[in-house]
Amino acid sequence: MKYLFAAAVLVTTAFAGISAADAAGGCGPGWHRGPYGGCVRNRGPVVVAPGPVVVERPVVVAPGAVVVAPRVRACPYGFAWRYGRCRPI
C-alpha cells in the first residue's frame, strides 16, 4: 500500500509542476520573455495577407548545350570565404 501511495504522490507532483506559465517562459498567459529577459506583453493577433502569385517563365535548353549552375554567394555581403569560413573583408 505504501508503494501505491508513493506512486500517487510522485504522479501528482509531476503534474503539479506543469502549467501555462512554463510555456510562456515563466511570465504567464499573454506575456513572453523579451530580448533582455524581462516579461513583455504579447501584441494583438498577427494577420498575414496573401501575396501576389509569381510565375516565372520556364528555361528552355537546347540539346547538347552546356549548362553552368549559377554561382551562389556562401557568405553575407561584407564577408569573403577564406580559410574555410566567412571572414570580414
Side-chain angles (χ1 to χ4, degrees):
M1 191 67 178
K2 60 183 169 182
Y3 291 117
L4 181 62
F5 179 71
V9 169
L10 182 65
V11 169
T12 56
T13 306
F15 283 116
I18 300 171
S19 67
D22 291 335
C27 294
W31 295 76
H32 67 278
R33 290 281 177 190
Y36 300 109
C39 293
V40 180
R41 182 181 296 276
N42 292 343
R43 295 187 207 168
V46 177
V47 179
V48 179
V53 177
V54 178
V55 178
E56 295 186 15
R57 295 183 296 198
V59 177
V60 179
V61 179
V66 177
V67 179
V68 179
R71 185 173 180 202
V72 178
R73 187 177 189 89
C75 298
Y77 289 101
F79 290 83
W81 185 263
R82 293 193 183 119
Y83 307 111
R85 67 178 205 156
C86 294
R87 298 186 182 262
I89 295 177

Coordinates of all heavy atoms in Angstrom, one line a residue:
M1 N 0.8 -1.2 0.0 CA 0.0 0.0 0.0 C 0.9 1.3 0.0 O 0.5 2.3 -0.6 CB -0.9 -0.1 1.2 CG -2.0 1.0 1.2 SD -3.1 0.6 -0.1 CE -4.3 1.8 0.1
K2 N 2.0 1.2 0.7 CA 2.9 2.4 0.7 C 3.5 2.6 -0.6 O 3.8 3.8 -1.0 CB 3.9 2.3 1.8 CG 4.8 1.1 1.7 CD 5.8 1.1 2.9 CE 6.6 -0.2 3.0 NZ 7.4 -0.2 4.1
Y3 N 3.7 1.6 -1.5 CA 4.2 1.8 -2.8 C 3.2 2.5 -3.7 O 3.6 3.4 -4.5 CB 4.7 0.5 -3.4 CG 5.9 -0.1 -2.8 CD1 5.8 -1.3 -2.1 CD2 7.1 0.6 -2.8 CE1 6.9 -1.9 -1.5 CE2 8.2 0.0 -2.2 CZ 8.1 -1.2 -1.5 OH 9.2 -1.8 -1.0
L4 N 2.0 2.1 -3.5 CA 0.9 2.8 -4.3 C 0.8 4.2 -3.9 O 0.6 5.1 -4.7 CB -0.4 2.0 -4.0 CG -1.6 2.6 -4.8 CD1 -1.4 2.4 -6.3 CD2 -2.9 1.8 -4.4
F5 N 0.8 4.5 -2.6 CA 0.8 5.9 -2.1 C 2.0 6.7 -2.6 O 1.8 7.8 -3.1 CB 0.7 5.9 -0.6 CG 0.7 7.3 0.0 CD1 -0.5 8.1 -0.1 CD2 1.8 7.8 0.6 CE1 -0.5 9.3 0.4 CE2 1.8 9.1 1.1 CZ 0.6 9.9 1.0
A6 N 3.2 6.1 -2.6 CA 4.4 6.8 -3.1 C 4.2 7.1 -4.6 O 4.6 8.2 -5.1 CB 5.6 6.0 -2.8
A7 N 3.7 6.1 -5.4 CA 3.5 6.4 -6.8 C 2.5 7.5 -7.1 O 2.7 8.3 -8.0 CB 3.0 5.1 -7.5
A8 N 1.4 7.5 -6.3 CA 0.4 8.6 -6.4 C 1.0 9.9 -6.1 O 0.7 10.9 -6.8 CB -0.8 8.3 -5.6
V9 N 1.8 10.0 -5.1 CA 2.4 11.3 -4.7 C 3.4 11.7 -5.8 O 3.4 12.9 -6.2 CB 3.2 11.2 -3.4 CG1 4.0 12.4 -3.1 CG2 2.2 11.0 -2.3
L10 N 4.1 10.8 -6.4 CA 5.1 11.1 -7.5 C 4.3 11.6 -8.7 O 4.8 12.6 -9.3 CB 5.9 9.9 -7.8 CG 6.9 10.1 -8.9 CD1 8.0 11.0 -8.4 CD2 7.6 8.7 -9.3
V11 N 3.2 11.0 -9.1 CA 2.5 11.4 -10.3 C 1.9 12.8 -10.1 O 1.9 13.6 -11.0 CB 1.4 10.3 -10.6 CG1 0.4 10.9 -11.7 CG2 2.1 9.1 -11.1
T12 N 1.3 13.0 -8.9 CA 0.6 14.3 -8.7 C 1.7 15.4 -8.6 O 1.5 16.6 -9.1 CB -0.2 14.3 -7.4 OG1 0.6 13.9 -6.3 CG2 -1.4 13.4 -7.5
T13 N 2.9 15.2 -8.1 CA 3.9 16.1 -8.1 C 4.4 16.5 -9.5 O 4.7 17.6 -9.8 CB 5.1 15.6 -7.2 OG1 4.7 15.2 -5.9 CG2 6.2 16.7 -7.1
A14 N 4.5 15.5 -10.3 CA 5.0 15.7 -11.7 C 4.0 16.6 -12.5 O 4.3 17.5 -13.2 CB 5.1 14.4 -12.4
F15 N 2.6 16.3 -12.3 CA 1.6 17.1 -13.0 C 1.4 18.5 -12.4 O 1.0 19.4 -13.0 CB 0.3 16.4 -13.0 CG 0.3 15.3 -14.1 CD1 0.2 14.0 -13.7 CD2 0.5 15.6 -15.4 CE1 0.2 12.9 -14.6 CE2 0.5 14.6 -16.4 CZ 0.3 13.2 -15.9
A16 N 1.7 18.7 -11.1 CA 1.6 20.0 -10.4 C 2.6 21.0 -11.0 O 2.4 22.2 -10.9 CB 1.7 19.8 -8.9
G17 N 3.8 20.5 -11.4 CA 4.8 21.4 -11.9 C 4.6 21.9 -13.3 O 5.3 22.8 -13.8
I18 N 3.6 21.4 -14.0 CA 3.3 21.8 -15.4 C 2.2 22.8 -15.4 O 1.1 22.5 -14.9 CB 2.9 20.6 -16.3 CG1 4.1 19.5 -16.3 CG2 2.6 21.0 -17.7 CD1 3.7 18.2 -16.9
S19 N 2.4 24.0 -16.0 CA 1.4 25.0 -16.1 C 1.6 25.8 -17.4 O 2.6 25.7 -18.1 CB 1.4 25.9 -14.9 OG 2.5 26.7 -14.9
A20 N 0.6 26.7 -17.7 CA 0.8 27.6 -18.8 C 1.9 28.6 -18.7 O 2.5 29.0 -19.7 CB -0.6 28.3 -19.1
A21 N 2.2 28.9 -17.5 CA 3.3 29.9 -17.3 C 4.7 29.3 -17.7 O 5.6 30.0 -18.1 CB 3.4 30.3 -15.8
D22 N 4.8 28.0 -17.6 CA 6.1 27.4 -18.0 C 6.3 27.5 -19.5 O 7.4 27.7 -20.0 CB 6.1 25.9 -17.7 CG 6.2 25.7 -16.2 OD1 6.7 26.6 -15.5 OD2 5.8 24.6 -15.7
A23 N 5.2 27.4 -20.3 CA 5.3 27.6 -21.7 C 5.6 29.0 -22.1 O 6.2 29.2 -23.2 CB 4.0 27.1 -22.4
A24 N 5.2 30.0 -21.3 CA 5.5 31.4 -21.7 C 6.8 31.9 -21.1 O 7.0 33.1 -20.9 CB 4.3 32.2 -21.2
G25 N 7.7 31.0 -20.6 CA 8.9 31.4 -20.1 C 8.8 31.9 -18.7 O 9.7 32.6 -18.2
G26 N 7.7 31.5 -18.0 CA 7.6 31.9 -16.6 C 6.9 33.3 -16.4 O 6.7 33.8 -15.3
C27 N 6.4 33.9 -17.5 CA 5.8 35.2 -17.5 C 4.3 35.1 -17.3 O 3.6 36.0 -16.9 CB 6.1 36.0 -18.7 SG 7.8 36.4 -18.9
G28 N 3.7 34.0 -17.7 CA 2.2 33.8 -17.6 C 1.5 34.0 -18.9 O 2.1 34.4 -19.9
P29 N 0.2 33.7 -18.9 CA -0.5 33.8 -20.2 C -0.6 35.2 -20.7 O -0.8 36.1 -19.9 CB -1.9 33.2 -19.9 CG -1.8 32.5 -18.6 CD -0.6 33.1 -17.9
G30 N -0.4 35.4 -22.0 CA -0.4 36.8 -22.5 C 0.9 37.6 -22.5 O 0.9 38.7 -22.9
W31 N 1.9 36.9 -21.9 CA 3.2 37.6 -21.8 C 4.3 36.6 -22.3 O 4.1 35.4 -22.5 CB 3.5 37.8 -20.3 CG 2.6 38.9 -19.7 CD1 1.3 38.6 -19.4 CD2 2.9 40.2 -19.5 NE1 0.7 39.8 -18.9 CE2 1.7 40.8 -18.9 CE3 4.0 41.0 -19.6 CZ2 1.6 42.1 -18.5 CZ3 3.9 42.3 -19.2 CH2 2.8 42.9 -18.7
H32 N 5.5 37.1 -22.7 CA 6.6 36.3 -23.1 C 7.9 37.0 -22.7 O 7.9 38.2 -22.3 CB 6.6 36.1 -24.6 CG 6.8 37.4 -25.4 ND1 5.8 38.3 -25.7 CD2 7.9 37.9 -26.0 CE1 6.3 39.3 -26.3 NE2 7.6 39.1 -26.5
R33 N 9.0 36.3 -22.8 CA 10.3 36.9 -22.4 C 10.8 37.8 -23.5 O 10.7 37.5 -24.7 CB 11.3 35.8 -22.2 CG 11.1 35.0 -21.0 CD 11.5 35.7 -19.8 NE 11.2 34.9 -18.6 CZ 11.3 35.4 -17.3 NH1 11.7 36.6 -17.1 NH2 11.0 34.6 -16.3
G34 N 11.3 39.0 -23.1 CA 11.8 39.9 -24.1 C 13.3 39.6 -24.4 O 13.9 38.6 -23.9
P35 N 14.0 40.5 -25.2 CA 15.3 40.2 -25.5 C 16.3 40.3 -24.3 O 17.4 39.7 -24.4 CB 15.7 41.3 -26.6 CG 14.7 42.3 -26.4 CD 13.4 41.7 -25.8
Y36 N 16.0 41.0 -23.3 CA 16.9 41.1 -22.1 C 16.4 40.3 -20.9 O 16.8 40.5 -19.8 CB 17.0 42.6 -21.8 CG 17.6 43.4 -22.9 CD1 16.8 44.3 -23.6 CD2 18.9 43.2 -23.3 CE1 17.4 45.0 -24.7 CE2 19.5 43.9 -24.3 CZ 18.7 44.8 -25.0 OH 19.2 45.5 -26.1
G37 N 15.4 39.4 -21.1 CA 15.0 38.5 -20.1 C 13.7 39.0 -19.3 O 13.2 38.3 -18.5
G38 N 13.3 40.2 -19.5 CA 12.1 40.7 -18.8 C 10.8 40.2 -19.5 O 10.8 39.8 -20.7
C39 N 9.7 40.3 -18.8 CA 8.4 39.9 -19.3 C 7.8 41.0 -20.1 O 7.8 42.2 -19.7 CB 7.5 39.5 -18.2 SG 8.0 38.1 -17.3
V40 N 7.3 40.7 -21.3 CA 6.8 41.7 -22.3 C 5.4 41.2 -22.7 O 5.2 40.0 -22.9 CB 7.7 41.8 -23.5 CG1 7.1 42.8 -24.5 CG2 9.1 42.2 -23.1
R41 N 4.4 42.1 -22.7 CA 3.0 41.7 -23.1 C 3.0 41.4 -24.6 O 3.6 42.0 -25.4 CB 2.1 42.9 -22.8 CG 0.6 42.6 -23.1 CD -0.3 43.8 -22.9 NE -0.4 44.1 -21.5 CZ -1.2 43.6 -20.6 NH1 -1.9 42.6 -21.0 NH2 -1.2 44.0 -19.4
N42 N 2.2 40.3 -24.9 CA 2.1 39.9 -26.3 C 1.2 41.0 -27.0 O 0.4 41.6 -26.5 CB 1.3 38.6 -26.4 CG 2.1 37.5 -25.8 OD1 3.4 37.6 -25.7 ND2 1.5 36.4 -25.6
R43 N 1.5 41.2 -28.3 CA 0.7 42.1 -29.1 C -0.5 41.4 -29.5 O -0.8 40.2 -29.2 CB 1.5 42.4 -30.4 CG 2.8 43.2 -30.1 CD 3.4 43.7 -31.4 NE 4.8 43.9 -31.2 CZ 5.7 44.1 -32.1 NH1 5.2 44.1 -33.4 NH2 6.9 44.2 -31.9
G44 N -1.3 42.1 -30.3 CA -2.6 41.5 -30.8 C -2.4 40.4 -31.8 O -1.2 40.0 -32.0
P45 N -3.4 39.9 -32.4 CA -3.3 38.8 -33.3 C -2.5 39.2 -34.6 O -2.6 40.4 -35.0 CB -4.7 38.4 -33.7 CG -5.5 39.6 -33.4 CD -4.8 40.3 -32.2
V46 N -1.7 38.3 -35.1 CA -0.9 38.6 -36.3 C -1.8 38.2 -37.5 O -2.2 37.1 -37.6 CB 0.4 37.8 -36.3 CG1 1.2 38.1 -37.6 CG2 1.2 38.2 -35.1
V47 N -1.9 39.1 -38.5 CA -2.7 38.9 -39.7 C -1.7 38.9 -40.9 O -1.1 39.9 -41.1 CB -3.8 39.9 -39.9 CG1 -4.6 39.6 -41.2 CG2 -4.8 39.8 -38.7
V48 N -1.7 37.9 -41.6 CA -0.8 37.8 -42.8 C -1.6 37.8 -44.0 O -2.4 36.9 -44.3 CB 0.2 36.6 -42.7 CG1 1.1 36.5 -43.9 CG2 1.0 36.6 -41.4
A49 N -1.5 38.8 -44.9 CA -2.2 38.9 -46.1 C -1.5 38.1 -47.2 O -0.3 38.1 -47.3 CB -2.4 40.3 -46.6
P50 N -2.2 37.3 -48.0 CA -1.5 36.6 -49.1 C -0.9 37.5 -50.1 O -1.5 38.6 -50.5 CB -2.7 35.7 -49.7 CG -3.9 36.5 -49.4 CD -3.7 37.2 -48.1
G51 N 0.3 37.1 -50.6 CA 1.0 37.9 -51.6 C 0.6 37.6 -53.0 O -0.2 36.7 -53.2
P52 N 1.1 38.4 -53.9 CA 0.7 38.1 -55.3 C 1.4 36.8 -55.8 O 2.5 36.4 -55.3 CB 1.3 39.3 -56.1 CG 2.4 39.7 -55.2 CD 2.0 39.5 -53.8
V53 N 0.7 36.1 -56.7 CA 1.3 34.9 -57.3 C 2.3 35.2 -58.4 O 1.9 36.0 -59.3 CB 0.1 34.0 -57.8 CG1 0.7 32.7 -58.5 CG2 -0.9 33.7 -56.8
V54 N 3.5 34.7 -58.3 CA 4.5 34.9 -59.3 C 4.8 33.7 -60.0 O 5.1 32.6 -59.4 CB 5.8 35.5 -58.6 CG1 6.9 35.7 -59.6 CG2 5.5 36.7 -57.8
V55 N 4.7 33.7 -61.3 CA 5.0 32.6 -62.2 C 6.1 32.9 -63.1 O 6.0 33.9 -63.9 CB 3.8 32.1 -63.0 CG1 4.1 30.9 -63.9 CG2 2.6 31.8 -62.1
E56 N 7.2 32.2 -63.0 CA 8.4 32.5 -63.9 C 8.3 31.7 -65.1 O 7.7 30.6 -65.2 CB 9.7 32.2 -63.1 CG 9.9 33.1 -61.9 CD 11.3 32.8 -61.3 OE1 12.1 32.2 -61.9 OE2 11.4 33.2 -60.2
R57 N 8.9 32.2 -66.2 CA 8.9 31.5 -67.5 C 9.8 30.3 -67.4 O 10.9 30.4 -66.7 CB 9.4 32.5 -68.6 CG 8.4 33.6 -68.9 CD 8.9 34.4 -70.0 NE 10.2 35.1 -69.6 CZ 10.7 36.1 -70.2 NH1 10.1 36.6 -71.3 NH2 11.8 36.6 -69.8
P58 N 9.5 29.2 -68.0 CA 10.4 28.1 -68.0 C 11.7 28.3 -68.8 O 11.6 29.1 -69.8 CB 9.5 27.0 -68.6 CG 8.5 27.6 -69.4 CD 8.3 29.0 -68.8
V59 N 12.7 27.7 -68.4 CA 14.0 27.8 -69.1 C 14.1 26.7 -70.1 O 14.0 25.5 -69.8 CB 15.2 27.8 -68.1 CG1 16.5 27.8 -68.9 CG2 15.1 28.9 -67.1
V60 N 14.3 27.0 -71.4 CA 14.5 26.0 -72.4 C 15.9 25.9 -72.8 O 16.6 26.9 -73.1 CB 13.6 26.4 -73.7 CG1 13.8 25.3 -74.8 CG2 12.2 26.5 -73.3
V61 N 16.5 24.7 -72.8 CA 17.9 24.5 -73.1 C 18.0 23.6 -74.3 O 17.3 22.6 -74.4 CB 18.6 23.8 -71.9 CG1 20.1 23.6 -72.2 CG2 18.5 24.6 -70.6
A62 N 18.8 24.0 -75.3 CA 19.0 23.3 -76.5 C 19.7 22.0 -76.2 O 20.6 21.9 -75.3 CB 19.8 24.1 -77.5
P63 N 19.4 20.9 -76.9 CA 20.1 19.6 -76.7 C 21.6 19.8 -77.0 O 22.0 20.4 -77.9 CB 19.4 18.7 -77.7 CG 18.2 19.3 -78.2 CD 18.4 20.8 -77.9
G64 N 22.4 19.2 -76.1 CA 23.8 19.3 -76.2 C 24.5 20.5 -75.7 O 25.7 20.7 -75.7
A65 N 23.7 21.5 -75.2 CA 24.2 22.7 -74.6 C 24.8 22.4 -73.2 O 24.3 21.6 -72.5 CB 23.2 23.8 -74.6
V66 N 25.8 23.2 -72.9 CA 26.5 23.1 -71.6 C 25.7 24.0 -70.6 O 25.7 25.2 -70.9 CB 28.0 23.4 -71.6 CG1 28.6 23.3 -70.2 CG2 28.7 22.4 -72.6
V67 N 25.2 23.5 -69.5 CA 24.5 24.3 -68.6 C 25.4 24.5 -67.4 O 25.9 23.6 -66.8 CB 23.2 23.7 -68.1 CG1 22.5 24.5 -67.1 CG2 22.3 23.4 -69.3
V68 N 25.7 25.8 -67.1 CA 26.5 26.2 -65.9 C 25.6 26.6 -64.8 O 24.7 27.5 -65.0 CB 27.5 27.3 -66.3 CG1 28.4 27.6 -65.1 CG2 28.4 26.8 -67.5
A69 N 25.8 26.0 -63.6 CA 24.9 26.4 -62.5 C 25.3 27.8 -62.0 O 26.4 28.3 -62.1 CB 25.2 25.4 -61.3
P70 N 24.3 28.6 -61.6 CA 24.6 30.0 -61.1 C 25.5 29.9 -59.9 O 25.4 29.0 -59.1 CB 23.2 30.5 -60.9 CG 22.4 29.4 -60.6 CD 22.9 28.3 -61.5
R71 N 26.3 30.9 -59.7 CA 27.2 31.0 -58.6 C 26.4 31.4 -57.4 O 25.7 32.4 -57.4 CB 28.3 32.0 -58.9 CG 29.3 32.0 -57.8 CD 30.5 32.9 -58.2 NE 31.5 32.9 -57.1 CZ 32.4 33.8 -56.9 NH1 32.4 34.8 -57.8 NH2 33.2 33.8 -55.9
V72 N 26.5 30.7 -56.3 CA 25.8 31.0 -55.1 C 26.7 31.7 -54.1 O 27.8 31.2 -53.9 CB 25.2 29.7 -54.5 CG1 24.5 30.0 -53.2 CG2 24.3 29.0 -55.4
R73 N 26.3 32.8 -53.6 CA 27.1 33.5 -52.6 C 27.0 32.8 -51.2 O 25.9 32.8 -50.7 CB 26.7 35.0 -52.5 CG 27.6 35.8 -51.6 CD 27.1 37.2 -51.7 NE 28.0 38.1 -51.0 CZ 29.0 38.7 -51.6 NH1 29.2 38.5 -52.9 NH2 29.9 39.5 -51.0
A74 N 28.1 32.2 -50.7 CA 28.0 31.5 -49.5 C 28.1 32.4 -48.3 O 27.6 32.0 -47.2 CB 29.2 30.5 -49.5
C75 N 28.7 33.5 -48.4 CA 28.8 34.4 -47.2 C 28.0 35.7 -47.4 O 27.7 36.1 -48.5 CB 30.3 34.9 -47.1 SG 31.4 33.5 -46.8
P76 N 27.5 36.3 -46.3 CA 26.8 37.6 -46.5 C 27.6 38.7 -47.0 O 28.9 38.6 -47.0 CB 26.3 37.8 -45.1 CG 27.2 37.0 -44.2 CD 27.7 35.9 -45.0
Y77 N 27.0 39.7 -47.5 CA 27.8 40.9 -48.0 C 28.7 41.5 -46.9 O 28.3 41.6 -45.8 CB 26.8 41.9 -48.5 CG 26.1 41.5 -49.8 CD1 24.8 41.0 -49.8 CD2 26.8 41.5 -51.0 CE1 24.2 40.6 -51.0 CE2 26.2 41.1 -52.2 CZ 24.9 40.6 -52.2 OH 24.3 40.2 -53.3
G78 N 29.9 41.8 -47.3 CA 30.8 42.3 -46.3 C 31.8 41.3 -45.8 O 32.7 41.5 -45.1
F79 N 31.5 40.0 -46.2 CA 32.4 38.9 -45.8 C 32.8 38.1 -47.1 O 32.2 38.2 -48.1 CB 31.6 37.9 -44.9 CG 31.3 38.5 -43.6 CD1 30.2 39.3 -43.4 CD2 32.1 38.2 -42.5 CE1 29.9 39.8 -42.1 CE2 31.8 38.7 -41.2 CZ 30.7 39.5 -41.1
A80 N 34.0 37.4 -46.9 CA 34.5 36.6 -48.0 C 34.9 35.2 -47.5 O 35.2 35.1 -46.3 CB 35.7 37.3 -48.6
W81 N 34.8 34.2 -48.3 CA 35.2 32.9 -47.9 C 36.7 32.7 -47.9 O 37.3 32.7 -49.0 CB 34.5 31.8 -48.8 CG 34.7 30.4 -48.4 CD1 35.6 29.6 -48.8 CD2 34.0 29.8 -47.4 NE1 35.5 28.4 -48.2 CE2 34.5 28.5 -47.3 CE3 32.9 30.1 -46.5 CZ2 34.0 27.5 -46.4 CZ3 32.4 29.2 -45.6 CH2 33.0 27.9 -45.6
R82 N 37.3 32.6 -46.8 CA 38.7 32.5 -46.7 C 39.1 31.5 -45.5 O 38.4 31.6 -44.5 CB 39.4 33.8 -46.4 CG 39.3 34.8 -47.5 CD 40.2 35.9 -47.4 NE 40.0 36.8 -48.5 CZ 39.6 38.1 -48.3 NH1 39.4 38.6 -47.2 NH2 39.5 38.8 -49.4
Y83 N 40.0 30.6 -45.8 CA 40.5 29.7 -44.7 C 39.4 28.8 -44.2 O 39.3 28.6 -43.0 CB 41.2 30.4 -43.6 CG 42.3 31.3 -44.2 CD1 42.2 32.7 -44.1 CD2 43.5 30.8 -44.8 CE1 43.2 33.5 -44.6 CE2 44.4 31.6 -45.3 CZ 44.3 33.0 -45.2 OH 45.3 33.8 -45.7
G84 N 38.4 28.5 -45.0 CA 37.4 27.5 -44.6 C 36.2 28.1 -43.8 O 35.4 27.4 -43.3
R85 N 36.0 29.5 -43.8 CA 34.9 30.1 -43.2 C 34.7 31.5 -43.7 O 35.6 32.1 -44.4 CB 35.0 30.1 -41.7 CG 36.1 30.9 -41.1 CD 36.1 30.9 -39.6 NE 36.7 32.2 -39.1 CZ 36.5 32.7 -38.0 NH1 35.7 32.1 -37.1 NH2 37.0 33.8 -37.6
C86 N 33.6 32.1 -43.4 CA 33.3 33.5 -43.8 C 34.1 34.5 -42.9 O 34.0 34.4 -41.7 CB 31.8 33.8 -43.7 SG 30.8 32.9 -44.9
R87 N 34.8 35.3 -43.5 CA 35.6 36.3 -42.7 C 35.3 37.7 -43.2 O 35.1 37.9 -44.4 CB 37.1 36.0 -42.8 CG 37.5 34.6 -42.3 CD 39.0 34.4 -42.3 NE 39.3 33.1 -41.8 CZ 39.7 32.8 -40.6 NH1 39.8 33.8 -39.7 NH2 39.9 31.6 -40.2
P88 N 35.4 38.7 -42.3 CA 35.1 40.1 -42.8 C 36.1 40.6 -43.8 O 37.3 40.2 -43.7 CB 35.2 40.9 -41.5 CG 35.6 40.0 -40.4 CD 35.6 38.6 -40.9
I89 N 35.7 41.4 -44.7 CA 36.6 41.9 -45.7 C 37.3 43.1 -45.2 O 36.9 43.9 -44.5 CB 35.8 42.3 -47.0 CG1 35.2 41.1 -47.6 CG2 36.7 43.0 -48.0 CD1 34.3 41.4 -48.8

